[in-house]
Amino acid sequence: MQKKLLVIALAAIGAVGSAQATAVADSVDLVTNFRFLTSAGAVLDASAFSLLAFQDSTNLNPSLNGAFNPYTNTVTTGPLPLQVQTLSGPFVVPTFGSYIPGVPVPSADGARAASSLNGDPINHLPNPQPIGANASTEALAQLLNPGVANSSSNIGLIATVNFVLGTSQAITIDFNALMHLGVYLDSLFSANAANALTFDLVNQTTGGNNVFHFAPDGVLNAAAGETSDPCNLQASVGVIGPGSAVADCNAHYSANTGILTAANQYTFTIGQQNRADVLVSRVPEPSSLLLAGIALVGLGFSARRKHASGG
């Protein structure tokens, strides 16, 4: 009898840590072939541009059972290469987007946050610089044992360029964008991913008023000059509790600024933001703990009874 109770207790205790918890979120936004086009469809003469300025930034913050491994960086002179922050693991090198739906099976408790920003969003400016346009960020958390793991990552680009036109004319903003958002969660709590891409044009000569705004959202607004807006690039996906969600789009976008006045100074700004957040938690399963407790109590009762009987 004692041996049977001991086997039950050990099996129940083992079951407490038998389940696993995994959460992963990816946010990828690749902007390519970005161009300023004249009303005649020609690429705008680069001599019209001046004062290229930009700021790239990333924040990574994985945590595991109260321990943190944060990373923050802001640059104004180049891209942000791949950065990976981990706690425990082991983890393979991130290949953004490939984990969904093929989520890796956890081999240890751990959390990871990763980001990368490279490329040149405006490829025909004088003295082009790799200021970043291909943004990828990922958050991953996994547990084999009771505990709490979470991770958050974000990466952003703010690029500005000033220009003055020799003749009054309309300009077309023209580019391609590939967006991938994906989240996966096999337990309780949450996983989220988001993307935002915006374009703004300000007339500095007339007091800094905004004369053009383009935030592709998948709804064509011809009155605002949009000529191609097939997908929502202001998107987010998320799950609470077990589940998964994905948003994908690879398309061409364009919008017309309307007539810009010659000799006026304009500032054009690209804003790009990607974010991923996950949280998982595991606690001992009440049913398993109860079974283990009953078995251990029974084991103790059996031992006392045996001792009392002198057996």
Side-chain angles (χ1 to χ4, degrees):
M1 179 66 177
Q2 282 182 306
K3 288 184 178 179
K4 183 179 292 185
L5 287 171
L6 181 60
V7 168
I8 293 173
L10 291 175
I13 292 171
V16 170
S18 62
Q20 65 188 42
T22 302
V24 62
D26 280 316
S27 177
V28 177
D29 189 12
L30 310 181
V31 178
T32 57
N33 199 32
F34 185 96
R35 300 177 300 169
F36 291 115
L37 301 178
T38 67
S39 55
V43 175
L44 190 64
D45 184 1
S47 63
F49 297 100
S50 65
L51 193 60
L52 174 65
F54 61 93
Q55 177 175 294
D56 298 337
S57 62
T58 187
N59 294 281
L60 308 175
N61 193 21
S63 71
L64 177 65
N65 297 326
F68 295 84
N69 186 17
Y71 174 83
T72 299
N73 191 19
T74 299
V75 299
T76 57
T77 57
L80 287 167
L82 175 66
Q83 178 69 32
V84 182
Q85 298 295 107
T86 63
L87 280 167
S88 188
F91 298 113
V92 299
V93 175
T95 51
F96 301 102
S98 67
Y99 293 116
I100 301 170
V103 179
V105 176
S107 58
D109 297 341
R112 178 181 72 191
S115 66
S116 174
L117 184 65
N118 56 59
D120 188 351
I122 307 174
N123 55 23
H124 60 278
L125 293 175
N127 303 315
Q129 301 180 54
I131 65 177
N134 302 328
S136 302
T137 195
E138 180 189 84
L140 172 66
Q142 59 187 37
L143 292 170
L144 291 179
N145 303 293
V148 178
N150 69 282
S151 183
S152 63
S153 61
N154 68 71
I155 195 161
L157 159 71
I158 298 176
T160 60
V161 57
N162 289 350
F163 63 91
V164 176
L165 298 175
T167 59
S168 297
Q169 61 180 298
I171 291 177
T172 297
I173 311 302
D174 189 88
F175 64 97
N176 299 322
L178 183 155
M179 182 192 73
H180 167 74
L181 301 177
V183 296
Y184 171 86
L185 182 64
D186 62 8
S187 57
L188 297 177
F189 294 93
S190 63
N192 301 277
N195 176 82
L197 181 64
T198 60
F199 305 89
D200 287 279
L201 187 60
V202 170
N203 188 332
Q204 302 292 0
T205 303
T206 58
N209 57 308
N210 193 306
V211 297
F212 172 79
H213 174 73
F214 185 27
D217 59 3
V219 178
L220 188 64
N221 185 353
E226 297 179 9
T227 54
S228 180
D229 186 2
C231 293
N232 184 10
L233 299 183
Q234 325 301 316
S236 63
V237 296
V239 293
I240 298 177
S244 62
V246 174
D248 286 295
C249 186
N250 186 3
H252 169 256
Y253 301 81
S254 64
N256 192 301
T257 65
I259 299 297
L260 304 180
T261 305
N264 281 205
Q265 180 171 296
Y266 293 91
T267 298
F268 182 77
T269 302
I270 301 174
Q272 190 174 13
Q273 187 73 38
N274 294 79
R275 190 189 80 247
D277 304 280
V278 295
L279 170 65
V280 294
S281 178
R282 285 202 59 233
V283 296
E285 298 171 14
S287 58
S288 298
L289 286 179
L290 179 62
L291 181 60
I294 292 172
L296 289 173
V297 169
L299 186 62
F301 177 78
S302 176
R304 287 195 301 272
R305 183 177 179 184
K306 183 178 181 181
H307 178 74
S309 64

